[in-house]
Amino acid sequence: AQSVTQPDIHITVSEGASLELRCNYSYGATPYLFWYVQSPGQGLQLLLKYFSGDTLVQGIKGFEAEFKRSQSSFNLRKPSVHWSDAAEYFCAVEGNQGGKLIFGQGTELSVKP
Amino acid sequence: NAGVTQTPKFQVLKTGQSMTLQCAQDMNHEYMSWYRQDPGMGLRLIHYSVGAGITDQGEVPNGYNVSRSTTEDFPLRLLSAAPSQTSVYFCASSYARDSTDTQYFGPGTRLTVL
């Protein structure tokens, strides 16, 4: 069965520092992978998605993610974090029927001034 | 476009009460779905619909009913609320059921069952 693991429940980084959020997936075939962000009290917004091709995917707000099949990972990165990036981040993989998403537990990001 | 809208934003129920969470989208999306979000568990799919008149169960369907009489609306019904249904509920929609299509999420309904 498909599953997604985000090993870090909470991460704190200083403003201006680089960021990497980890995501590991379990999927039998080539996965469709997503990163969503949820600001406090808000719904989820898609940051980026990977279907095929270039393993480095660029998203909105300066985020990128790299698909590594050998490690079953899809880690999210940003070179310089802004205070407005404080939010919860969810990694997701397509379920076994198109359109259904399986989410990880989420990683809450705090940004120190 | 208003996107995906959900009402109410907050609701408190007593055990055994029933209620309907409303979800509407004005983007002419065929695919709509309901998720619940619980601490430490991410989002879990409750029910989904690939078009008007067609619904199916997701990962955690027990205690919830849905119907899809129009393309725009996808209400979620709790027939007899239980404390275990205390959660934040999100509705989402996309143009197609293909995962390549972006899903748009509503702002959520925070439900507390006493």
Side-chain angles (χ1 to χ4, degrees):
Chain A
Q2 298 91 347
S3 66
V4 176
T5 301
Q6 295 178 245
D8 304 306
I9 296 174
H10 189 200
I11 285 182
T12 299
V13 299
S14 298
E15 191 167 17
S18 63
L19 170 70
E20 182 169 25
L21 302 182
R22 295 184 291 165
C23 171
N24 294 100
Y25 67 89
S26 172
Y27 193 82
T30 299
Y32 291 169
L33 295 159
F34 308 81
W35 274 100
Y36 282 85
V37 61
Q38 183 182 28
S39 298
Q42 302 296 313
L44 278 72
Q45 181 183 23
L46 180 68
L47 285 175
L48 48 80
K49 55 187 177 182
Y50 170 80
F51 299 137
S52 64
D54 193 348
T55 57
L56 186 62
V57 180
Q58 301 297 321
I60 62 171
K61 304 184 179 185
F63 285 92
E64 66 178 27
E66 186 171 12
F67 170 62
K68 293 185 177 180
R69 184 188 300 276
S70 61
Q71 299 177 17
S72 297
S73 68
F74 188 57
N75 294 349
L76 182 71
R77 302 194 295 247
K78 187 169 184 178
S80 178
V81 171
H82 188 263
W83 64 266
S84 60
D85 293 324
E88 190 156 19
Y89 292 79
F90 292 94
C91 182
V93 66
E94 177 202 15
N96 54 12
Q97 288 182 275
K100 295 165 63 173
L101 294 175
I102 297 172
F103 286 85
Q105 303 92 323
T107 297
E108 184 177 356
L109 173 66
S110 298
V111 180
K112 293 189 299 184
Chain B
N1 287 347
V4 180
T5 58
Q6 292 183 239
T7 56
K9 289 188 177 180
F10 302 94
Q11 182 71 48
V12 179
L13 294 177
K14 295 180 180 179
T15 296
Q17 286 185 314
S18 63
M19 80 159 294
T20 299
L21 279 63
Q22 302 291 343
C23 173
Q25 50 87 14
D26 61 357
M27 297 174 282
N28 201 31
H29 285 172
E30 290 294 322
Y31 185 87
M32 297 186 73
S33 55
W34 276 102
Y35 292 86
R36 60 176 289 173
Q37 182 181 28
D38 302 294
M41 302 189 73
L43 280 78
R44 292 179 292 167
L45 183 66
I46 304 171
H47 285 283
Y48 66 99
S49 168
V50 299
I54 306 170
T55 64
D56 204 348
Q57 296 180 350
E59 181 184 357
V60 287
N62 293 342
Y64 307 95
N65 281 351
V66 293
S67 60
R68 184 96 179 270
S69 57
T70 67
T71 298
E72 294 78 19
D73 301 296
F74 190 44
L76 178 71
R77 297 183 184 86
L78 284 70
L79 300 178
S80 179
S84 61
Q85 294 178 304
T86 294
S87 186
V88 181
Y89 292 85
F90 289 99
C91 179
S93 75
S94 61
Y95 182 71
R97 64 173 295 177
D98 192 317
S99 292
T100 61
D101 196 37
T102 298
Q103 290 199 36
Y104 295 86
F105 284 80
T109 294
R110 185 175 295 274
L111 175 67
T112 301
V113 182
L114 303 175

